Each structure stands twice: as structure tokens, then as C-alpha cells.
Amino acid sequence: MMKQRVTSAGLVAGLVLTASAAFAEYPERTINMLVPFGAGGGTDVPARFFAAEMEGILGQNIVVSNVEGAGGTVGATQLSQADANGYNLGFLPVGTTTTQPHLKRTSYNADSWTPICMVSQGPFYLVVAEDSPIKTVDDYVAMANGDGLKFAGAGPGSMAHVAQLTLDNKLGVTTRYIPTKGGGDIATEINGGRADATAWFADFGTKFGWRALAILSDQRSAQHPDVPTLAELGHDAQVSVWFGFFTQAGTPDDVVNTLSEACAKAVEADSFKENMAGANRLVRYMGTEEFGPFFRTAFELNGKLLEDAGLIK
Amino acid sequence: MDQVAQAMAHFASVSVLIALIIGSVWGTIAGALPGIGTVAALVVALPFAFGMSTEASIALFLGIYVTSVYGGSISAILINTPGTPQSAATVLDGYPMAKAGKADLAIGWATFSSLVGGVFSLVVLILAAPLLARVSVAFGPAAIFAIIVFALTCIAWVSAGSTTKGLLAGVIGLWLTTIGTDDLTGYTRFDFGQPALMGGLSLIPVLIGIFALAEVFHRAGRYFAAKPPDVSNVGFRMPALGEITLRMPQFFRASVIGTFIGILPGTGATAATFVSYSDLRRSSPRRENFGKGEPDGLVASETANNAVTGGALIPTLALGIPGDGGTVVLLGVLTIQGLTPGFDLAQNNPHILTGVFLLILVANFIMFGLGALGSRIFAKILAMPEPLLMAFIMLFSFVGAFVVRGNPVDVIICAVAGVAGVILRFAKYPVAPIVIGMALGTTFEGKLRQGMISAQGDFFEFISDPIALGVLGLTAAFIAAPIIGSRRSGERND
């Protein structure tokens, strides 16, 4: 089994090499893939699955390095300043690339990157604790209009905050945002009954035993087919977290092409799909032509949303 | 029993045992190297999680997790440099004991304490994980804030004789944690326009600088002037049985404190050691000897930090909420293996949890064996010519500072902290308070502000949490007791 995989990986690598040999010898050495969050976390795990596939396809070692800090901006800044030669690539999430530049005035912006492909996307679910009195979105609205509702999430401008702002807009309510340091702190606040709701991913049930009121997407998910979309309930609110594969602007076209082709193969690989499914993550592929404009639109839209919410000073 | 049999069927194999031993050896070495802490030791091994079976990879990472905390005590005792932040309090009594020619005994105490703490928390994990997991979420921002306030009183204990300087150093430590992006507002503070400081200061580079590099610089300065302190009798000597049984209450207190603080998400082993040290420094009948090489000091620190390992796994495995930095990586390993730690794992794969318990138990005994056998190697390493040893320490310090976040700036921060550490030493400032301030500052400020936002700025509503009130009351009583006591004895003397 293992042997077979190695052989087929070698075969694919061989094909890719012959295909790109006409242009250049890229890649000819170890590639560095930067993840701007900690090892073992939500961005790191899909990044490592993806890197493992890309290694086989490109026929070179890929070293995943975690450069943490400040919502991923420390790592992204470092990456944006690296040589645009295809050996310094990044696995970056939506927040680091489309909200943080507006919030923190980072030295990088939408023009700093060549987006290669989208690898994964997961819609948010509006969730509450198992024993919460909130059973439906109507209850959510009623509580927000009544005693008030506390919505927990990571720091201001985080994607959970974007979800809260979007929900407030679309549902016509005002909820109170409780910023935390994210992840485990959000779970502690919800389970401890100190916050009423949050936006979380598809593993809300398996991980924390929470209940979903709705999915913030235009279609139901195969993972939770009984959770209604907000659109069905009459509110068009869509917020998701996606992860993309990026290189710096100015990277030679042939390198981008090689990476683009490799990415298309990686996300199709059975082992990748299995790994992602095991980790409760959704594969969502978008090729270079589609992802480029999509990324720019997201960058502009999130900038506007944060500005309207008064978060950009 | 059925679960144990099922777990044995999965985990009792040669490959799992080998993975556990490799993990334990690497964990001990990494922990002992100044700078390579628990998280870095786990991250280095992360790529191997892909090629291994679920059981073997769990064994590898648990081995590293459990033993790296212990490894930090070795360098703390022998070269006055905590290998990990969790062992910062071990320096306080471990190094004086080593200087007194009892290095072997100090290592014996640290090893035995680690074993006691590890096994105690494991028993708690087996008996009460689901119950304690529910208790842990009852500790809101106010309650954790109160516990951190208690831990901060440790600054007073470690700076006895120079209280003003100690408090000043503690405040510097607290302030250092405010540098960089503020998680709760997104604003950047004290970065002086340097993008490099946007991510803030990480504790480990500063810790390495202040302890390890400062020690190197200090010794370099002394090397030409006088003979270096002779740390002799390096080895492993078990403390006498009578000495151990005498300290049963201390072992128990430190185990409970460590396990309990481990359960609280995001509080961590470093805070636990300082809470435990403060507690025993106050309650032990041998409190007068603290700081001079009292075994109770080692018991406080090493029992508590290893007890955290089991405690921190309770919210991690039962709730999917990581209890400390190391468990974040453990969660990642399980996720890579297609397991979602938390709500479902306990229901659908209980044999994995039982397997985890068994592995930790075995890892704790491997750790004990490594401590006993490895001590000869430590002796050899310390027998190196001093300049060579110091050069190695410097090398590992810079590597360690770099690997924490992969940020080259951390190497510079480490060097600056080293110079600052030497200056502070010459000025007779205790440096431990800086580390205490830094280790606790982020949680201290974060929980205070998160709770205040929740309470809409009303401090009395924030503090109305009964657990918080209880802990703060206890802290106030502990602070007041020695003051009242000394005033009374003062009156009598008049």
C-alpha cells in the first residue's frame, strides 16, 4: 500500500517534472511553506495535509514553518518580504489576508500576493450551548431584543466578529461582542454560560457538544443536513473561513503555473480528502483564475464591513 | 476493565513502546536543553505524526509531553538555568542545593517529585475527568484572574530581603507582556514603530536570555577572576525514605495545586509552580529554609508542574479545550490522526482515552528511569571544560529562542535579555520576578479585561463571582498574616 503510493507519487512527480522542464527546472530544492499560526492549530493541520501531498507531486521536500503572532500578520509580513522565487510559499487564512491588513495597516496588502489556489473553506454555524434556552434563530432575535445577548469570539476584527457583525446587520438586532483570546477561551465562555452564542465550524457538535441554529451559507451542508441555512429563514448572511495557498506578487509565471497545476492535483488526491474528512474539514478548490478575483473581492468587502462597524480608525 | 483490555489490545505493542521510549528520551533531553521547551519539543516531532499509526504517534507525543516538563529541572539544578519556563521555580532551591554539593540529591528530589505529581494527576484524570471537565468551565475570567493574583504573590517570596527591587522587577515583567498586539482590541502597543515587535515578546527568549545567557556572561566575567562554583556530586541519589514521608503533606498540596491549575484552561504549568511555591513557602514547617536549598522548594515546583500534565489533559480530552501550550499541539496530533478530541472522543473511542492514561503512567516511570540512568551523562556533560560548556549553552539558547516562533527577532530579544540579566544581577535585582510577571502577565491582563468587557466596565459586577471573591479573600489573608504576625512579635519584643 505504502509502496504503491510512493510509486504513484514518483510517477506524478516525474510527469510534472517533464511538463515543466520546458520552462525551467523549478522546483530544484526544498520549498519552505509558512503557516502564520501555531503548530497543531486550525490553520496548521490542513496546511500539513496539503504540504504532504504537494511534496509528492512536486518531488521536493516541503518544510512547514510556523511563524505566529498578531493574527497571523507577523508571519504574513515575513512571507511578503521573502524572495518571489517559488521557494517561500504560504498557507494563509482569510483573516490574515483580508481583514488584518485593514485593521493593522500591515506592510502587505492585496497587491502583495499571487493567490495560487483555495484549498479549504468552511462556513460558520451560529451555535449555542446544548442546554441553552435558545432553540431557534427566532429565539436568538428575541433574546437579543429582550435581555440582551452576549456573542463570544476571538479579538475584534476576527472572523467570528465579522460573523457577529453580519448577523446583527441581517437580523436587525444588536448583540454584545465578548472578545477573548479565541479557541478554547470561546468554548469555556459558552460552556460556562457566560456567553450565549458564537460562530463556529462543522465540528461544533463532536468537539464541544454544541447545537447549531443555522449555517451561514447559501446551502445546507452534507455534514449537518438538518441545520437550516439563514437564507431559508429569510436572512441572506454568508460568512466562511477559507484557507488559500499564496506566493508573493512578482513570482515568475512558469513557477505559478507549476504550483497551480500541483495544487489542483493535491486537492483531488484521495489521501488528502481522507485526511481532511478525518479532521472534520472541508476541501474547497478554486483555481488560480477564479481565486485571484475572489480574493480581491473578499479583501474589499471585508475592508468595507470593518469600516462600517467603526473598527478601522 | 473491558476498556482496559480493549486499550491494551490497541496499545500494547512493541512499536508503541518504542515510540513512547523515543518520545521520553527526546522529551527529557529537549527539556534539559535551555530554550527547547515542551512546545518546541513537540513541534519538532510533528512531521512524524503522518507516517505513524495512531497509537504509536499518541505514544510518541505523550512521552515528549510528560518528560519535557521534568527535563527542565535538570539544567535548573545543575547550571542555574531553567530548561523550560515550568522549571523557573526549581532554580530557587535546586541550584543552592547543587552548590552545597548535593546536586545528586537535588536531582533525586526533582525526579521523585515529578513522578509523584505525574502519577497523582493521572489518578485524578482516570477517576474524575468528566466531572472535573464540567467544573473547569465554571472558572470564568474573574476566577482565573483571582488565581493569577495569588500566583503573583510569589514575587514577594522570591525577593525576600529586597522587596522593592523584587516588586520593581515583577512590574517590568508584567509590562513586557503588554508589548505587541493587544488581542482584545487589536491595537499594537509599545512597538516603537518596529513591525518586529508587533507579535509581542514571547516568554521563552526572554527567559533564556535572563537565565541562560546571563549565566554564561556572568561566568565568563568570573572565569578570569576566580574559580567557578563547584557543582560536585552530579548524579542521582534518592532522598531518604524518612525525608520523603516527612514531606507527605507538601507532596499532597503541590499535587492538588498542580492538577487543579492544569484543569483550568489557559492557566498553565508555569503559573501552577508559582502558586505551589507560594503556598508551600507559607505553609511548610521548613519555610525558613526556602531559597537556601530546601527540598520542599523542589517538591513545590516539580510536583506541581508534572501534576499539570494530567490536569491539562482533562479539558483537552473531555472538552476539546487545550489546557496549556503543549496540549494545543497534542490536539493537533489527534486531529491529524482523524480523531476529534472532545465531546465525541469519550463516547465513541473510550479505549483511546484509557490508552492515553496507560501511556502517561508508563511514561512517568520511564522518566524516573531516565533520571536515574541519565545522571551519569549529565555528570559527563558538566565535566566538559567550562568555556566549551558555556559555548554549547549559548548555541542552544539562540536556537531555542529562534524555534519558539520561527522569528529571527527573538534571537535579538534573547541577547538583549541576556545583557539586561547580567546588569540586573550586578545591581542585585532578583530576576525571577521578571519571569513570574511575564509568565502570568498575559493571562492576568487578558482575563481582567475580558471579564470587565463582559461586565460592561462594572468592576464590582466583574468581581462578584463567588469563586473569585473566595480566592482573593484567601490571597488577602495570606498577605496579611505575616504582617500581623511580625507586628505582634515586634510588640512582644518591645
Side-chain angles (χ1 to χ4, degrees), chain B residues 27-158:
Chain B
T28 308
I29 295 171
L33 294 175
I36 319 285
T38 306
V39 177
L42 289 165
V43 170
V44 169
L46 203 54
F48 296 104
F50 284 88
M52 295 169 79
S53 73
T54 306
E55 290 79 10
S57 63
I58 291 176
L60 177 74
F61 287 90
L62 282 177
I64 299 171
Y65 177 61
V66 169
T67 56
S68 59
V69 178
Y70 158 70
S73 68
I74 297 167
S75 47
I77 291 167
L78 297 180
I79 45 180
N80 197 21
T81 293
T84 61
Q86 296 101 307
S87 291
T90 309
V91 171
L92 301 171
D93 282 280
Y95 188 61
M97 206 187 230
K99 272 201 299 192
K102 291 185 286 187
D104 53 348
L105 194 61
I107 290 191
W109 275 110
T111 311
F112 184 71
S113 301
S114 298
L115 180 71
V116 171
V119 172
F120 180 93
S121 72
L122 181 69
V123 172
V124 174
L125 180 60
I126 292 170
L127 293 180
L131 175 74
L132 289 171
R134 278 200 296 279
V135 170
S136 79
V137 296
F139 281 72
I144 293 183
F145 166 77
I147 289 170
I148 297 293
V149 170
F150 182 84
L152 283 171
T153 62
C154 196
I155 291 175
W157 297 123
V158 301

Side-chain angles (χ1 to χ4, degrees), chain B residues 231-280:
Chain B
V231 173
S232 55
N233 275 328
V234 179
F236 177 87
R237 180 149 60 97
M238 262 302 280
L241 193 63
E243 291 282 296
I244 291 171
T245 47
L246 181 70
R247 289 179 171 80
M248 290 287 269
Q250 283 72 41
F251 275 114
F252 183 71
R253 288 182 90 107
S255 296
V256 171
I257 289 171
T259 309
F260 177 70
I261 290 182
I263 293 166
L264 303 179
T267 313
T270 313
T273 56
F274 292 126
V275 170
S276 170
Y277 194 87
S278 294
D279 176 64
L280 291 197

Side-chain angles (χ1 to χ4, degrees), chain A residues 174-191:
Chain A
T174 308
T175 56
R176 196 136 59 81
Y177 191 70
I178 308 292
T180 69
K181 291 192 186 296
D185 276 1
I186 300 175
T188 316
E189 291 309 284
I190 298 285
N191 284 339

Side-chain angles (χ1 to χ4, degrees), chain B residues 384-409:
Chain B
M384 258 196 259
E386 194 176 61
L388 196 61
L389 179 66
M390 292 298 121
F392 273 117
I393 292 177
M394 267 183 96
L395 177 70
F396 284 120
S397 297
F398 287 129
V399 171
F402 177 74
V403 297
V404 179
R405 298 186 293 188
N407 195 338
V409 176

Side-chain angles (χ1 to χ4, degrees), chain A residues 198-212:
Chain A
T198 187
W200 199 265
F201 309 104
D203 60 357
F204 60 85
T206 49
K207 202 164 184 183
F208 301 126
W210 292 340
R211 222 158 15 84

Side-chain angles (χ1 to χ4, degrees), chain A residues 148-159:
Chain A
L149 189 143
K150 290 180 184 174
F151 191 104
S158 63
M159 289 312 289

